[in-house]
Amino acid sequence: MANLDVVTQEKTRLCTFTIEENYYGVDIDSIQEVSSELVFTPIFHAPTEIEGFSNMRGEIYLVANLKAMLGFEKSDHKSCNRVLYMKNKIGENFGILVDQVSDVLEVDNKTLEDNESTDSINDLCQQVCFVEGKVIAIVNAKNILNNIHLNRGGLK
Amino acid sequence: MQNFDENIVNEFVIESKEYLEQVESHLLEIEKDFEHYNSDVINIIFRAIHSIKGASGFLGFTKIGDLSHVMESLLSSLRNDEFKPNSKMIEVLLKGVDLLTTMFDDIQSSNQVDIENVLKELKNVKPTDDETVNEINQVFQTSITSFVINQEILDLKPKEHNHIYELHYDLFQLSKEGKSPVKVFKEISSFGYVLKTKSQRTKIDLATGNLNTNIDVYVLYSTALEIDMLEMATGLSSDMFSEVLIEQEKATDDNLDASNDFAKNNPLEEKSQEVSSQNLDAKGHQDKNQETIRIGVKILDRLVSLAGEMVLVRNKYMQAIKNESMEDLKTLVHSLDLVTSEMQESIMQTRMQPIANVFGKLPRIVRDLAKKLNKEIEIETSGDEVEIDKSILQNLTDPLVHIIRNSCDHGLEDPKFRIDCGKPAKGTIKVSAAHEGGVINVLIEDDGRGVNLERVRQKALENGLKTEVELKNMNHKEIVNLIMLPGFSTAEKVSEVSGRGVGMDVVKTSISNIGGEIEIESKETIGTKISLRLPLTLAILPSVIAELNGLAYAIPQTQVEEIVAINTEDDNMTEFANNQEVLKLRESLLPIIRLIDIFENKEAFDFKVKNKLMSKNKNSERYKKYAVVVKVKQIRYGLMIDRIIGMEEIVVKPIHSKMNEIKIFSGATVRGDGKSSLILDIEGIAAHADLHVESQESESKEGAKFVNNEERHLIFQNFHNEYFAMPLQQIQRIARIEENKIETLNNLNYYNLDNQAVQILDLDNDTRSDTKSDPFLLLPKEEKFEFGVSILKINDIADIATDVSENNESKDKLIWKNHVVQLIHFEQINALHAEKIELHKRFERRA
């Protein structure tokens, strides 16, 4: 037990994924399940970044389009797209839609750097790290729900 | 603060509350007939109170212990036939039960509750003279015990018990051995009798927060057994007992009942109020840790066996997949279906509680009210065994109690008055429940004076809830149901019991909050009948599943009145009144909303949006296939959807809290295909579409819904067969004119009527179509209008109510014999006419 604690303190295991060729990572400890099911029930009047509701094992989950939340143009679903469903401790039943899921990486917490770029409109990615020559922006899953605002945009 | 294992305390609270409920109903039973009650009943009450006393002592709830102790000693005298019970005794005992219930509601602060008054009453109610009171309170000198032993305690001791012991043990030690205090208490009770208990605890070491210190419990215990026998029988070690020897000399006790006099001088009523206010205080912080449910062992057994069966199916299933046997899989799916549906049914049953849990409270309420109001009232309940969802049951209590109170207070008459009316002096309230096709019907009937229609009418007028015209149009039942409007109370005087102005509307709201309906029927001087229709459960909602653009939506069935297929061939089925689309549905106009418009327009509808939608929808038959006629509160409209999929019972899931602000959906559900679907919020949609509340009596009355004042109207058609209505008062004369004698001058038509040139106006801009018959000319009464209006045909004269001030979209439209009729005044025609002349002049100038 003690040993594990040390590991989580010093290192973070990231589930990495891409959005528009950019690399992102989410602490794998916050993910409940990765799903390839891309059928969502649209919620009219919800902001654009909301894909809709989906049924994950009998529970209704709210699925947000991370791409839209990060300021990219939304695109049609592709078969390689995945939904990362978050654990309940992260926030009330929700998941994020990403372009493609890639490896799980273990990064040393010391190598994490604060995200200096100011163009990000929200506090989704506060940290970045460099692994194998790639820049990985670390998405803080706990901030995702807070960045959904009802009065912005609209589903057309 | 007690820090015992919470579970033990909870168990004690739940058990004690059950005991108290029993006690209450048994006390009422005794009260019915003091002469011929069953002596077993006293025993049951006695044992119940005794158990409460014992366990409370263990757990250190001293006030509960004290109160139940005094109640017990009173009951003990009753049991021993020392004296007969009387109504005052029952009254006081009930008060004690109330106070105990209050204390159990908030057990942790029970030791702060003031029980002195009730204690005094309990002590005083015994028909004893002061001397015996003294005796009881005299304290005996005893050996080695921390208990104060007086005659009162000794009286509790059965005669054959020769030994009194003091038991001393450590609760903490006991719990280590896996014994709960309640268990120990039950054990030792089977060999003797617990006279008194108390507990003492060493201080908690705050630094460590360690509770593992001794919790000492002392029990004063009487038995016929010798000490060694007792040891064997109870399994407790002998060092835990010590025999108490009582010296038969009486010591004196000084602080005797000066309090007796105090209590005597205070009338009962004052105290009962105190008790009830304490009741209220406690309610604020109760129910935190008591969300438990009792399940019949049968149901639990069934669930366990079903779970086993399910595992079996899963194993077979995995086997079948391994063997890739399609045949096996098919049969397995069938058995899986069977098991799951049975399982679901059983699980739902665990939420079901007999309605008796609520009905059981009613006799006591009725009894108290009858006393207070000096009436004789009997309550009969039936259908106690009908089961209903726990959450609905919880929310049913308040409205039901309110209705019963109303019946007692306003409904049933004074005994004298009743006899004068030829009714039995005793009023009867019948409460029954029955299961009927997926709903529970609860009927509350009384044989009282019924609702006074005249007074309801007056009140409605006084409070401006309805106008005279509206009232005239209402039938008996509708008027009776007016009493459920907010701000309605016909009670002449505000009494303590009811009539504070927040009356039946609150009942109605709470009933509809749990998805139910309420209806009142009443016959003056004969009685009132209130029927409630309640859903079986809240978690599962029978819904109409509708489809729009390939997606399914659920509409709660209770809000759906009917579903109308729109005949697209018939152009007249829907039209626009102002900018609101309306559907002609039997003699009345129903506003309709195309669901797609709601979805596509995120902003709440305003004038602009509505106009935009009108121009879009006017000639579009798209999204206009079925109208689901929905009604919620007082809003009624048709929701246009593509297709009805059917009826389904859906499991309601709350909508994600992030999406709470979206008011057009009330929840979500997972349907059979595994997809999630949204539940439409009928009220929210109406608000989004800016639909207005229509006045209540709307249905089925020709045109009445738009209006207040009835006026005689002439109904006629113009040359395009459009229907119009004009107030008869404005018309001076209707003349038949000959079409070919109309002369045109300056582009205007004139007619020679009685040697006067009268300008003729048409009710449309276009040239008139060829007609075979001669037209009529309507001449206005007011002389300022120098024209007549030519019309094609006079249809009828009808009484039509008009009210321009009413904020209704289609206020100038109404339905007359299946036609949409436009209300028109000479004023409007004049304005139209002036415009025309102006245009004409401008045209001329330019030319």
Side-chain angles (χ1 to χ4, degrees), chain B residues 545-719:
Chain B
I545 309 292
E547 191 184 271
L548 182 75
N549 278 349
L551 288 167
Y553 298 92
I555 306 168
Q557 192 199 322
T558 49
Q559 295 172 350
V560 177
E561 281 196 339
E562 60 182 311
I563 294 161
V564 182
I566 306 293
N567 182 358
T568 39
E569 314 262 293
D570 181 0
D571 290 340
N572 290 329
M573 248 182 119
T574 65
E575 7 204 311
F576 276 87
N578 269 349
N579 48 16
Q580 176 66 52
E581 198 168 9
V582 292
L583 170 72
K584 273 186 284 177
L585 183 63
R586 295 184 294 272
E587 303 300 297
S588 80
L589 289 179
L590 183 74
I592 56 175
I593 299 171
R594 300 192 190 194
L595 187 56
I596 192 77
D597 293 338
I598 297 285
F599 287 168
E600 284 177 350
N601 291 279
K602 197 181 170 189
E603 306 305 323
F605 288 13
D606 55 11
F607 191 69
K608 262 192 210 157
V609 179
K610 281 192 188 173
N611 279 346
K612 191 185 84 192
L613 290 176
M614 178 173 69
S615 49
K616 190 188 79 160
N617 289 338
K618 200 149 200 176
N619 297 308
S620 151
E621 298 301 320
R622 232 166 105 65
Y623 304 118
K624 210 177 90 178
K625 294 190 182 116
Y626 289 90
V628 181
V629 181
V630 289
K631 187 177 179 186
V632 61
K633 293 202 175 142
Q634 293 176 37
I635 306 166
R636 187 164 167 268
Y637 62 94
L639 197 60
M640 307 302 291
I641 44 100
D642 287 350
R643 190 164 79 91
I644 298 290
I645 295 176
M647 296 285 309
E648 266 176 41
E649 296 203 330
I650 58 166
V651 181
V652 181
K653 311 245 175 194
I655 209 159
H656 195 280
S657 61
K658 267 278 158 191
M659 300 292 119
N660 262 350
E661 276 171 56
I662 300 177
K663 297 292 182 215
I664 58 171
F665 301 115
S666 63
T669 184
V670 178
R671 288 189 52 241
D673 57 2
K675 285 185 197 154
S676 55
S677 289
L678 289 158
I679 304 166
L680 299 179
D681 186 331
I682 296 306
E683 212 182 332
I685 289 174
H688 192 83
D690 193 30
L691 270 193
H692 298 283
V693 176
E694 65 182 38
S695 53
Q696 247 212 337
E697 82 290 12
S698 65
E699 283 128 67
S700 75
K701 241 151 268 104
E702 199 172 291
K705 73 166 126 173
F706 305 121
V707 261
N708 281 333
N709 303 315
E710 244 174 7
E711 238 185 304
R712 204 145 265 211
H713 280 68
L714 181 77
I715 292 172
F716 56 88
Q717 278 172 286
N718 70 357
F719 295 94

Side-chain angles (χ1 to χ4, degrees), chain B residues 24-264:
Chain B
E24 189 178 287
S25 64
H26 286 309
L27 283 173
L28 292 176
E29 200 176 308
I30 293 176
E31 197 186 29
K32 268 189 193 153
D33 191 348
F34 288 121
E35 295 305 316
H36 307 100
Y37 64 90
N38 189 340
S39 62
D40 285 347
V41 176
I42 291 263
N43 275 326
I44 295 169
I45 299 172
F46 179 79
R47 277 198 296 272
I49 297 290
H50 179 64
S51 306
I52 291 172
K53 179 186 97 166
S56 65
F58 277 105
L59 297 169
F61 298 117
T62 51
K63 286 284 175 71
I64 291 178
D66 290 350
L67 181 57
S68 45
H69 172 74
V70 177
M71 286 171 74
E72 184 193 16
S73 60
L74 176 61
L75 287 162
S76 150
S77 319
L78 287 177
R79 190 172 65 150
N80 299 339
D81 276 336
E82 282 170 33
F83 39 80
K84 282 272 165 204
N86 57 36
S87 72
K88 198 173 169 203
M89 257 179 235
I90 302 288
E91 178 85 40
V92 176
L93 282 171
L94 283 174
K95 253 184 219 177
V97 170
D98 282 347
L99 193 53
L100 281 176
T101 315
T102 313
M103 292 198 278
F104 280 117
D105 281 343
D106 187 3
I107 186 91
Q108 297 302 357
S109 32
S110 68
N111 281 353
Q112 278 102 59
V113 175
D114 177 21
I115 59 170
E116 284 309 309
N117 290 332
V118 179
L119 275 188
K120 272 171 210 154
E121 279 183 48
L122 277 164
K123 281 177 184 162
N124 284 333
V125 80
K126 274 195 198 179
T128 49
D129 51 357
D130 282 358
E131 216 174 299
T132 46
V133 172
N134 283 348
E135 212 172 287
I136 282 171
N137 286 280
Q138 272 169 345
V139 177
F140 295 101
Q141 288 295 351
T142 56
S143 65
I144 52 136
T145 178
S146 48
F147 285 100
V148 175
I149 296 180
N150 55 27
Q151 191 61 44
E152 196 184 354
I153 286 178
L154 291 183
D155 279 349
L156 289 172
K157 178 175 77 82
K159 286 192 184 74
E160 65 277 15
H161 288 183
N162 302 322
H163 301 274
I164 295 179
Y165 298 98
E166 184 181 286
L167 274 80
H168 165 224
Y169 50 87
D170 178 11
L171 265 193
F172 182 67
Q173 196 64 35
L174 272 185
S175 72
K176 268 191 189 163
E177 289 164 21
K179 287 184 179 174
S180 77
V182 181
K183 228 188 229 164
V184 172
F185 179 73
K186 276 185 182 155
E187 246 170 51
I188 59 175
S189 291
S190 50
F191 306 107
Y193 191 79
V194 174
L195 298 171
K196 209 166 181 178
T197 53
K198 67 177 180 183
S199 72
Q200 202 172 48
R201 54 176 316 147
T202 35
K203 276 180 189 147
I204 303 164
D205 185 351
L206 280 179
T208 59
N210 195 351
L211 292 177
N212 300 350
T213 48
N214 293 345
I215 301 163
D216 293 316
V217 174
Y218 300 91
V219 178
L220 196 63
Y221 180 66
S222 78
T223 176
L225 297 177
E226 300 287 335
I227 195 155
D228 46 342
M229 291 289 286
L230 190 63
E231 196 182 332
M232 264 164 57
T234 59
L236 297 166
S237 72
S238 63
D239 53 7
M240 290 164 74
F241 298 94
S242 54
E243 186 153 8
V244 179
L245 302 167
I246 296 171
E247 294 166 26
Q248 290 298 332
E249 287 165 42
K250 288 172 184 175
T252 45
D253 191 1
D254 294 331
N255 52 6
L256 267 184
D257 293 28
S259 54
N260 279 349
D261 300 320
F262 165 77
K264 273 175 201 153

